[in-house]
Amino acid sequence: MTAARRRELLSQWIDKLEGRLNLDPLIQEACGALLRLSGADRCSIMVLDSSTEELSVRWAEGIRVKPFGKVKFKLGEGMCGWVAQAQKPLYSFDVTKENRFLPSAASRPRPLKPVRAFCCLPLTSEGRAIGVVNLSTFKPKSRFSSYVKQRLTQEFLRRLAKVIAQAALLRETEAASERFRRLLKSTSETVAQVSHEVRTPLTLITEGAQQLLDGIQGPLDPRQKESLERIKAQTGRMLRLVNELLDLSRIEAGRLSLYRKPLGMGELVQEAIHRYEPLIAPRKLTLQLDSVPPVYGDRSRLTQVVENLITNAVKFTSPSGALGISLKAKDRWAELGVSDTGAGMPKREQGRLFEKFFQGKMPAGSVVKGTGLGLTIVKEIVQLHAGTIRVRSRAGEGTTFTVSLPLYSPAFALTEEFGAMRRQSAREGTALCCQLFTAHSRTPVSWREAAALFSRHVSREDRVLDHPEGGLVILSVSDPAGFEAMRKRLEGVLSAHPEMIPPSGIGWGWALVPQEAADLAEALRLARERGQARSENLVKSIRALGD
């Protein structure tokens, strides 16, 4: 091979190394390239395991290559270990006279007689040893130095070391992430199990204390009533802690289910104010609730957000202070603001505000005791609704929380539910079925009535949603048998309600994700095509069922 051709191939290989993170194919290809370009008879690449400080052969090519799975060198041990540690190349033109070629005399196998010349080149990245490249030949008095000292060869080795280091880092990061995920799952499951076990006796204690306060076991004197009230208050606080731990464990495990629908935030705010009126009453309350379009949310979870922000404001505001609650629409968002005139927070505390179990300094005599988990859960719930929460506070002037939630639209609801159920199906190893119902003409169809009808015949975990361009979409996570059972059930529903089918017929198709479609747009397109292709036969079969 001419020197010009060698330089050309080497330049091409340097370009090939960019962005390569799949380590084994990369090392195999690099080994073959080095073997070809150097004219050596054998080439091997050894990679350093930073945890054991051992070099092991990842790939070898050439004439009479033997199994290399057990070939390992410690740093500083043998010729390869010395090169990796010293980060200097080493050349030997007669390996039979090179004592560093093998780890030790005791473990030395029979000499590799065919090999005469040998060179070992260090692979380093940012001053760290990554591995070594070994080149050997059967030819006596061979010279590698002229090849390996070329600028392009050195650049190739430098890039190779960098890519190997990046790939190894990626692999270690993925392994650490998987270990953390398993630990988090184990921790969340333990917390959930313990919380369930604790919740039952706490509930019984609370109910028992209330029965005694109601006089079921006879009249109580003032001291007995005070003790029972204290028991009830403390067990109630423990129950709140247990429930919040359960919520947090579900959130961290990705298993907190949301049952979302269009709802008015103004109504939720009014209900929360009415519920906590006894706590709010001593303080001055300023309300500014504008008429705001509905958001797309889980009623119970957003109620939890509103109530937590209100009780948090009460907790940090003295009876002589003031609270402010506002609701307004801003662009495509609903903004809820809850403010107080409490002590406020210094900047160093604001960064920790949403940490688990963090609690700011409460004013003396506060009647609301917190668990330190409320704001953590609030932030998680808001983010699960594709919203944001911001805090503005200044020491001595009070604090304002602002929650922004997207306003409802059919396109937003469909995108959100598809994303959530796609993650669920991936986690469970099942499929997501996307069913689409459309009308074939401008004949009016009461899709609202159809949605209400279908909702009564699917499971609570399924979603019946408006299509932005008209029609209905049903999303469900199941196995093939579950999908088939649902289709038969819905055919029965339509046959029992023929008035739902316009004279021009309906289109009803479906697609499985990820087996048949990669994303929502592709699933809807495939479902529409299938619905158009089978609509005539479908209408006939449904009407036949009705007859």
Side-chain angles (χ1 to χ4, degrees):
M1 184 184 297
T2 65
R5 178 58 178 160
R6 183 179 285 115
R7 285 195 298 271
E8 180 185 353
L9 290 175
L10 199 52
S11 296
Q12 292 175 3
W13 266 99
I14 289 173
D15 293 337
K16 277 186 179 182
L17 288 175
E18 289 301 321
R20 297 287 297 276
L21 292 176
N22 196 345
L23 192 56
D24 289 330
L26 165 69
I27 290 179
Q28 292 175 24
E29 293 175 24
C31 196
L34 286 166
L35 187 69
R36 181 182 176 190
L37 294 171
S38 66
D41 294 311
R42 288 178 180 170
C43 176
S44 66
I45 296 179
M46 307 182 78
V47 176
L48 179 67
D49 184 336
S50 58
S51 62
T52 62
E53 292 194 337
E54 282 186 335
L55 289 163
S56 60
V57 179
R58 293 297 293 266
W59 193 254
E61 284 197 19
I63 302 172
R64 302 176 192 171
V65 170
K66 294 185 177 182
F68 49 80
K70 295 182 180 180
V71 179
K72 293 184 179 181
F73 291 89
K74 287 281 189 183
L75 270 183
E77 181 183 56
M79 188 177 186
C80 301
W82 181 89
V83 168
Q85 188 176 59
Q87 298 186 16
K88 295 179 181 178
L90 186 63
Y91 309 95
S92 176
F93 304 112
D94 188 350
V95 298
T96 60
K97 299 178 181 179
E98 179 55 65
N99 293 328
R100 289 174 293 185
F101 182 68
L102 294 170
S104 64
S107 60
R108 185 177 300 173
R110 287 179 298 176
L112 300 176
K113 291 181 180 178
V115 174
R116 296 299 299 273
F118 182 95
C119 78
C120 185
L121 309 172
L123 294 173
T124 61
S125 178
E126 298 180 354
R128 293 186 302 112
I130 303 300
V132 296
V133 172
N134 299 312
L135 295 168
S136 59
T137 181
F138 309 141
K139 306 176 185 69
K141 299 183 179 179
S142 293
R143 295 292 185 268
F144 292 100
S145 57
S146 60
Y147 165 70
V148 298
K149 290 180 181 178
Q150 291 177 6
R151 183 184 60 81
L152 277 177
T153 305
Q154 293 298 314
E155 177 64 13
F156 179 83
L157 294 174
R158 188 186 68 79
R159 295 275 188 95
L160 177 61
K162 181 180 178 182
V163 173
I164 291 175
Q166 290 173 341
L169 179 61
L170 177 64
R171 190 169 62 248
E172 291 172 5
T173 302
E174 289 174 345
S177 177
E178 178 62 18
R179 289 194 300 271
F180 178 74
R181 188 191 65 78
R182 290 178 181 176
L183 177 62
L184 187 61
K185 181 181 178 183
S186 174
T187 303
S188 297
E189 289 174 351
T190 302
V191 169
Q193 183 176 356
V194 171
S195 298
H196 276 297
E197 294 293 330
V198 171
R199 186 162 58 173
T200 300
L202 285 175
T203 302
L204 292 174
I205 292 170
T206 303
E207 291 178 354
Q210 185 58 55
Q211 288 177 0
L212 291 173
L213 287 168
D214 292 340
I216 291 178
Q217 299 295 327
L220 302 172
D221 60 43
R223 289 181 62 187
Q224 290 173 328
K225 285 185 178 181
E226 182 182 351
S227 297
L228 287 171
E229 290 286 1
R230 192 178 298 116
I231 290 171
K232 183 184 173 184
Q234 291 302 317
T235 52
R237 181 172 179 273
M238 288 300 297
L239 271 173
R240 286 195 301 275
L241 175 60
V242 167
N243 289 331
E244 288 178 348
L245 282 170
L246 279 170
D247 284 343
L248 200 57
S249 68
R250 294 189 189 106
I251 291 169
E252 290 176 341
R255 298 184 182 278
L256 184 70
S257 298
L258 297 180
Y259 301 97
R260 301 165 73 175
K261 59 178 62 178
L263 57 90
M265 285 297 293
E267 182 183 352
L268 294 188
V269 172
Q270 293 282 15
E271 289 175 356
I273 291 172
H274 178 72
R275 191 173 297 116
Y276 289 95
E277 188 175 4
L279 289 177
I280 298 172
R283 299 156 182 83
K284 180 183 177 182
L285 176 63
T286 302
L287 273 179
Q288 186 180 350
L289 304 181
D290 296 347
S291 179
V292 174
V295 301
Y296 187 61
D298 182 307
R299 185 180 186 86
S300 66
R301 293 301 176 184
L302 289 183
T303 296
Q304 189 176 354
V305 168
V306 175
E307 290 182 352
N308 194 288
L309 291 178
I310 290 176
T311 56
N312 191 73
V314 170
K315 179 170 63 177
F316 290 98
T317 306
S318 65
S320 60
L323 305 177
I325 302 175
S326 64
L327 181 65
K328 62 182 179 180
K330 186 176 182 181
D331 297 326
R332 297 185 178 183
W333 299 81
E335 284 197 349
L336 169 68
V338 179
S339 62
D340 63 63
T341 58
M345 289 175 289
K347 282 191 175 182
R348 64 178 180 275
E349 288 189 4
Q350 292 178 35
R352 301 184 57 203
L353 192 57
F354 297 102
E355 291 180 7
K356 288 185 285 189
F357 301 109
F358 175 76
Q359 289 185 300
K361 185 178 180 181
M362 288 186 292
S366 177
V367 295
V368 182
K369 304 297 182 183
T371 62
L373 291 174
L375 288 176
T376 306
I377 294 172
V378 163
K379 182 180 179 180
E380 295 289 348
I381 292 174
V382 169
Q383 290 179 340
L384 286 173
H385 283 80
T388 62
I389 182 168
R390 306 185 302 277
V391 60
R392 187 180 73 252
S393 184
R394 184 174 294 179
E397 296 183 11
T399 302
T400 299
F401 286 93
T402 303
V403 172
S404 299
L405 296 169
L407 297 178
Y408 168 78
S409 72
F412 172 74
L414 184 55
T415 302
E416 283 289 294
E417 294 293 2
F418 180 88
M421 297 183 77
R422 178 70 187 91
R423 290 188 292 272
Q424 178 190 346
S425 69
R427 189 169 59 244
E428 297 176 358
T430 54
L432 169 58
C433 182
C434 177
Q435 301 184 66
L436 176 64
F437 293 80
T438 56
H440 285 318
S441 71
R442 296 181 180 273
T443 305
V445 178
S446 178
W447 292 115
R448 180 171 294 182
E449 291 181 13
L453 181 65
F454 287 151
S455 296
R456 293 197 295 270
H457 292 85
V458 298
S459 79
R460 189 167 184 255
E461 305 302 322
D462 300 329
R463 299 292 182 266
V464 180
L465 303 160
D466 292 331
H467 189 281
E469 298 174 7
L472 289 179
V473 177
I474 299 181
L475 300 176
S476 53
V477 174
S478 183
D479 54 23
F483 298 141
E484 186 61 27
M486 174 185 281
R487 283 201 291 268
K488 289 181 178 179
R489 191 163 64 249
L490 293 181
E491 282 186 359
V493 171
L494 289 173
S495 68
H497 297 271
E499 72 278 5
M500 300 300 300
I501 305 175
S504 60
I506 62 170
W508 177 14
W510 53 82
L512 299 181
V513 181
Q515 289 84 349
E516 298 175 325
D519 53 31
L520 175 60
E522 189 177 355
L524 291 175
R525 179 188 58 77
L526 181 57
R528 187 181 294 276
E529 290 174 357
R530 284 178 173 169
Q532 291 171 346
R534 67 189 290 272
S535 60
E536 185 176 345
N537 293 333
L538 173 67
V539 172
K540 287 180 180 178
S541 65
I542 288 175
R543 286 177 175 161
L545 283 172
D547 296 337

